Amino acid sequence: MVTISLCMIVKDEADVLRRCLVSIADLMDEIIIVDTGSADRTKEVAGEFTDKIYDYVWQEDFAAARNFAFSKATMEYIYSADADEVVDYFNHRKFAELKQALLPEIEIVQMHYVTPQNYNTTANYRREYRPKLYKRLREFVWIDAVHETVRLDPVVYDSEIEIMHLPRNLHAKRDFKLFRRVFEREGRLSAKLCSMYAKELFVSGQEDDFADAADIFECILNQPDASVDMQKEAVCVLCHKHRAAGDTDRFFALAFRLMPDAVCAELCYEVGCYFKERGDFKEAVLWFDTAAYHTQPAIDVRRGGKLSLLALEECYRSLKEQAQDEEEKQYYQNMEKQCKEEADQWEMPLMAE
């Protein structure tokens, strides 16, 4: 049986930390709590479970804080948890079985991360695999009988364990500030952070958040080494911002910049919204239909699904009310009903394929 260090970074988590630790403490051989400046009873609650509690001066860098926590671990594996996570009874049993049977060559164990939709700030799926359990010391081995090389890719195991993520509130505003600070410090965002920023904007952002992000995504769009995906994400963010601001010229210049090679549901949805807002419902239908049925989303799966279907329903309702011919009116009524039914039945995909 392997040994596991639990490593957590916390701040003002007194009301949820006990719930988390009760659900997993007995599976851990060592519990390490790194506090980044709590003003409540967080450290007192942590003290009920461990004496390995460390203070860490917050540097607006989650990676640095987690590295500090990991540096204190001494067991074979490290389990990384947040205070708002819970492992229920059935998944606790699965975790215990995993601990008994984990093969030593496995370096990372992924677990299903499940967040209620109301608190989902970035994801396009109801659950997603996330690396949660890490081998503390990696062993390098040679592979290939000829032209041998050291294996660099970690050995990853996708478990069936589900971690419930039950946050108290949304973290989007905090994240937006951190994205900007990273950009100001480094002069750029990595491809991963570009994608996460765009996702969080489309899922959780308000119009002022899009406006605040515009200068960053303009820089990303003009980076000489920006990938097609980064450019697509930047164009989607900027198009939404310019449409909301009523800057039609800039909106269309950007909307068609990457078409047709990089067309996506988000861009078609934005163009559809533009025509719908101007009462051109027939043109809007063409774009929303393309978003819902003929393109793939690049950032937000809802714009390739439920949001486009709801927009189509609204457009068909307006066209029905404008129709003079009974046959035409019946057609729009049928299409309105069909889109409503599809929107009502639409669900966030369970997980990425």
Side-chain angles (χ1 to χ4, degrees), residues 73-93:
T74 62
M75 299 298 153
E76 295 171 276
Y77 284 82
I78 298 172
Y79 179 64
S80 179
D82 289 328
D84 56 7
E85 297 174 8
V86 178
V87 179
D88 65 20
Y89 171 77
F90 297 102
N91 288 287
H92 183 281
R93 288 180 59 184

Side-chain angles (χ1 to χ4, degrees), residues 107-118:
E107 296 169 313
I108 295 175
V109 177
Q110 296 205 115
M111 301 178 185
H112 293 293
Y113 205 68
V114 183
T115 304
Q117 192 165 341
N118 289 345

Side-chain angles (χ1 to χ4, degrees), residues 144-158:
D144 298 327
V146 64
H147 299 298
E148 67 281 1
T149 187
V150 171
R151 176 174 51 79
L152 299 178
D153 295 330
V155 179
V156 179
Y157 172 62
D158 293 338

Side-chain angles (χ1 to χ4, degrees), residues 121-188:
T121 61
T122 60
N124 282 317
Y125 308 98
R126 283 175 281 163
R127 63 179 188 172
E128 59 181 344
Y129 264 130
R130 289 193 181 182
K132 295 294 290 179
L133 187 65
Y134 306 84
K135 197 165 190 179
R136 185 172 65 87
L137 297 177
R138 188 172 181 191
E139 298 171 353
F140 290 98
V141 297
W142 290 89
I143 57 174
D144 298 327
V146 64
H147 299 298
E148 67 281 1
T149 187
V150 171
R151 176 174 51 79
L152 299 178
D153 295 330
V155 179
V156 179
Y157 172 62
D158 293 338
S159 76
E160 290 304 310
I161 299 169
E162 290 189 352
I163 308 297
M164 292 301 300
H165 181 217
L166 304 174
R168 293 165 294 172
N169 47 53
L170 296 175
H171 298 149
K173 292 293 185 182
R174 175 205 68 188
D175 292 348
F176 295 149
K177 291 179 181 177
L178 289 175
F179 285 128
R180 174 161 291 281
R181 285 172 185 148
V182 171
F183 180 79
E184 290 173 349
R185 183 175 68 239
E186 301 180 10
R188 60 189 294 120

Side-chain angles (χ1 to χ4, degrees), residues 137-332:
L137 297 177
R138 188 172 181 191
E139 298 171 353
F140 290 98
V141 297
W142 290 89
I143 57 174
D144 298 327
V146 64
H147 299 298
E148 67 281 1
T149 187
V150 171
R151 176 174 51 79
L152 299 178
D153 295 330
V155 179
V156 179
Y157 172 62
D158 293 338
S159 76
E160 290 304 310
I161 299 169
E162 290 189 352
I163 308 297
M164 292 301 300
H165 181 217
L166 304 174
R168 293 165 294 172
N169 47 53
L170 296 175
H171 298 149
K173 292 293 185 182
R174 175 205 68 188
D175 292 348
F176 295 149
K177 291 179 181 177
L178 289 175
F179 285 128
R180 174 161 291 281
R181 285 172 185 148
V182 171
F183 180 79
E184 290 173 349
R185 183 175 68 239
E186 301 180 10
R188 60 189 294 120
L189 294 181
S190 67
K192 175 195 169 187
L193 288 186
C194 175
S195 179
M196 294 302 295
Y197 196 176
K199 286 178 181 177
E200 202 151 357
L201 282 169
F202 274 95
V203 175
S204 310
Q206 304 299 317
E207 297 304 341
D208 61 323
D209 299 316
F210 277 89
D212 290 342
D215 62 326
I216 295 176
F217 282 93
E218 284 283 1
C219 289
I220 291 171
L221 183 59
N222 294 308
Q223 275 180 208
D225 60 344
S227 67
V228 172
D229 286 341
M230 293 174 71
Q231 293 179 57
K232 189 187 302 184
E233 290 157 354
V235 164
C236 289
V237 170
L238 293 168
C239 278
H240 182 91
K241 182 263 184 184
H242 290 304
R243 179 180 65 78
D247 189 346
T248 302
D249 290 343
R250 184 63 177 149
F251 169 71
F252 276 109
L254 284 166
F256 294 102
R257 177 166 173 165
L258 300 180
M259 290 189 185
D261 296 332
V263 67
C264 59
E266 290 85 355
L267 284 180
C268 294
Y269 179 83
E270 292 296 332
V271 177
C273 287
Y274 171 85
F275 286 110
K276 180 168 75 71
E277 289 165 357
R278 282 151 182 77
D280 190 344
F281 299 110
K282 287 187 178 181
E283 185 67 24
V285 161
L286 296 176
W287 289 98
F288 288 131
D289 183 85
T290 302
Y293 300 112
H294 305 293
T295 56
Q296 294 298 315
I299 301 169
D300 178 14
V301 69
R302 299 171 307 159
R303 281 167 169 76
K306 187 164 189 169
L307 293 182
S308 289
L309 292 168
L310 290 172
L312 279 170
E313 177 192 353
E314 186 178 343
C315 288
Y316 284 127
R317 185 183 306 116
S318 297
L319 288 167
K320 177 188 69 177
E321 294 168 355
Q322 295 174 359
Q324 301 298 315
D325 180 84
E326 280 302 318
E327 185 176 348
E328 184 181 19
K329 185 175 293 188
Q330 186 62 50
Y331 169 77
Y332 289 134

